[in-house]
Amino acid sequence: MLGYLMRRLLLIIPTLLCILLVNFFIVQAAPGGPVEQAIAKLQGVAGGTIGAGHTETMNAGQSRASRGLDPKLIKEIEHQYGFDKPLHERLWLMLKNYAQLDFGNSFFRGAKVTDLILQKMPVSISLGLWATLITYLVSIPLGIRKAVKHGSHFDIWSSTAIIIGYAMPAFLFAMLLVVVFAGGTSLSWFPVRGLVSENFDQLSTLGKIADYFWHLVLPVTSLVIGGFATLTILTKNSFLNEVTRQYVVTARAKGLSERRVLYGHVFRNAMLLIVAGIPQAFISVFFAGSLMIEVIFSLDGLGRMSYEAAVSRDYPVVFGSLFIFTLFGLLIKLVGDICYTLVDPRIDFSARNA
C-alpha cells in the first residue's frame, strides 16, 4: 500500500506539469490579454475587454488598441505584466516559481495570489464539505431503505421526488429558495448575502456557530438537491445487486438476521462503488457546482474569483487557482483509494501496477 501511495504521489508532478503547459499555451493564444486590458482601460474602452470583434489576434489587437499611446508607456505596461520577456522565458519563470509554491501577484487585485486563495478558500470549502457530507448522510440511508422496500409505495414516491430534484438545476432551485424563504415573499427566515453576519465578531462562540450554519442553509440546500439523486439510485442499485449473490443466500440459510445480513455482509461490498464516488462528488461541488451559488448568494469564494480572473485575463490568479484545484483534486482521489481499503481490507493496492 505504501509503495502504491508513493507512486501516486510521484505521478502528481508530471500531471500538474502537463496541465500547466497545456493551459499556458492556450492562454497565450487567447486575444485580449492583460496588456490589452490595461491599454483599453487607459483609452476608456467600455468594460475594459477587447473582444473578438475588436481583436482577431493578440498581436493585431495590441497594435490597434495601442494607437495614440506613447510607445514607452506601452513598454512599461508590458514590463509591469512580465510580457517584455520571450515566451520560453516566461514559461520557465512560472514553472520555477510554482515549484516553490510562489504564484506571484494578481495583475488587478493588488495582492499575492496565495493570499487571495487562502482568503476565498473557507467559503468554497464550507459549501463543498457540507454539501457532500449532507448528500451522503441522506443518500446512503435512503438508498438502502429503497433497496429493502423495492417496489413498495415508499420506493415509488421517493423515486418521483428524487427525479424531480435531479431535473431541477441547482441555480434555479437556489432562486426559488431565495424567493420563498429570503424575503421574496412574506417569509424572511434566512440571509442571502455572505457566509457570516456583519456583527459576527461580536457574537459569542455558540452565536458564531449558529450564525455560520444559518447562512449556509440555503446555498448548501441548493447544492444538495441535485447531488443526492444520483447517489441514492446508485446506493439502491448496488444493494439490489448484492442481495442476489450466493453469499447472501448462504448467510440467510445460516439463520442470520436480516439486519446482520444487510449491514454485516452486503454493506461492505455494496459500498465500494459509493466510496469510489466520494472524491468526484466533493470535487464537482467544490470546483464546478458552486459558481452560480456563490453569485446568487453573494459568496466570495474560489469559483467566483476564478471566473472573474479568467474574464479579466488575470493570469497569475487563473494559473494559481488551476494549480491548487488540480493538486487538491488529485489528492482527494488518492484519499478515495485509501477509503477503499477502510471499507474492504481485502483490497490490496500494492499488487497494482499504477
Side-chain angles (χ1 to χ4, degrees):
M1 181 65 179
L2 182 59
Y4 170 77
L5 293 177
M6 291 302 299
R7 290 195 299 271
R8 286 289 299 271
L9 288 173
L10 290 175
L11 281 173
I12 290 177
I13 298 175
T15 302
L16 285 172
L17 180 61
C18 290
I19 291 175
L20 285 175
L21 287 175
V22 170
N23 283 273
F24 178 82
F25 288 109
I26 290 176
V27 163
Q28 301 308 309
V35 174
E36 290 80 7
Q37 296 273 351
I39 293 174
K41 288 180 180 179
L42 287 175
Q43 293 188 324
V45 176
T49 302
I50 303 176
H54 188 71
T55 58
E56 296 168 357
T57 63
M58 181 176 285
N59 293 332
Q62 184 173 335
S63 63
R64 274 200 283 262
S66 58
R67 288 176 181 174
L69 290 180
D70 187 350
K72 292 183 179 180
L73 177 59
I74 297 175
K75 291 293 184 182
E76 290 178 3
I77 294 174
E78 291 176 347
H79 177 72
Q80 177 183 353
Y81 295 118
F83 280 82
D84 57 333
K85 301 181 179 66
L87 181 66
H88 67 277
E89 192 173 331
R90 297 204 306 270
L91 175 60
W92 169 250
L93 185 61
M94 184 190 76
L95 295 178
K96 179 182 177 182
N97 291 336
Y98 275 41
Q100 303 171 14
L101 297 181
D102 180 9
F103 306 128
N105 297 322
S106 169
F107 286 158
F108 307 115
R109 292 174 179 259
K112 294 183 64 175
V113 174
T114 306
D115 295 339
L116 288 173
I117 292 175
L118 292 176
Q119 180 184 347
K120 313 297 183 183
M121 191 171 286
V123 173
S124 297
I125 289 181
S126 294
L127 292 177
L129 178 63
W130 293 114
T132 305
L133 180 62
I134 293 175
T135 298
Y136 272 78
L137 289 178
V138 172
S139 299
I140 292 177
L142 180 59
I144 295 174
R145 183 167 178 81
K146 284 174 64 62
V148 174
K149 301 290 185 179
H150 179 61
S152 65
H153 290 294
F154 171 80
D155 184 35
I156 295 173
W157 71 256
S158 61
S159 295
T160 303
I162 287 172
I163 292 173
I164 294 174
Y166 181 73
M168 181 174 292
F171 75 91
L172 183 61
F173 188 70
M175 295 174 65
L176 177 63
L177 291 178
V178 170
V179 171
V180 176
F181 298 109
T185 59
S186 58
L187 301 178
S188 185
W189 293 351
F190 299 99
V192 290
R193 293 186 63 85
L195 194 62
V196 294
S197 300
E198 293 181 358
N199 62 337
F200 182 78
D201 294 334
Q202 303 173 5
L203 300 175
S204 63
T205 302
L206 291 178
K208 289 180 178 180
I209 296 175
D211 182 75
Y212 168 73
F213 284 108
W214 183 47
H215 282 75
L216 280 177
V217 170
L218 295 188
V220 169
T221 303
S222 304
L223 290 172
V224 166
I225 190 64
F228 80 95
T230 303
L231 185 58
T232 301
I233 298 302
L234 179 61
T235 304
K236 175 189 173 181
N237 292 338
S238 296
F239 271 77
L240 287 178
N241 181 57
E242 290 297 324
V243 295
T244 59
R245 299 294 180 89
Q246 184 61 43
Y247 74 88
V248 177
V249 177
T250 303
R252 286 171 175 167
K254 290 181 179 180
L256 297 179
S257 65
E258 191 66 22
R259 184 178 182 86
R260 178 70 180 277
V261 171
L262 189 63
Y263 291 99
H265 294 77
V266 176
F267 183 82
R268 173 182 295 178
N269 295 320
M271 287 303 295
L272 288 176
L273 285 175
I274 313 303
V275 170
I278 292 179
Q280 186 63 38
F282 182 77
I283 292 170
S284 61
V285 173
F286 186 80
F287 299 141
S290 61
L291 173 58
M292 290 299 297
I293 302 303
E294 288 178 8
V295 173
I296 292 173
F297 291 100
S298 300
L299 297 171
D300 197 8
L302 287 175
R304 187 175 178 182
M305 182 190 71
S306 301
Y307 172 76
E308 293 174 351
V311 171
S312 63
R313 304 297 195 272
D314 195 347
Y315 293 156
V317 176
V318 171
F319 284 114
S321 301
L322 175 67
F323 185 90
I324 295 297
F325 286 176
T326 305
L327 177 61
F328 193 70
L330 293 172
L331 292 176
I332 285 291
K333 289 184 178 181
L334 184 58
V335 171
D337 287 345
I338 297 175
C339 291
Y340 267 129
T341 62
L342 296 178
V343 175
D344 191 350
R346 294 172 299 176
I347 295 178
D348 183 14
F349 283 108
S350 61
R352 294 178 56 180
N353 295 321

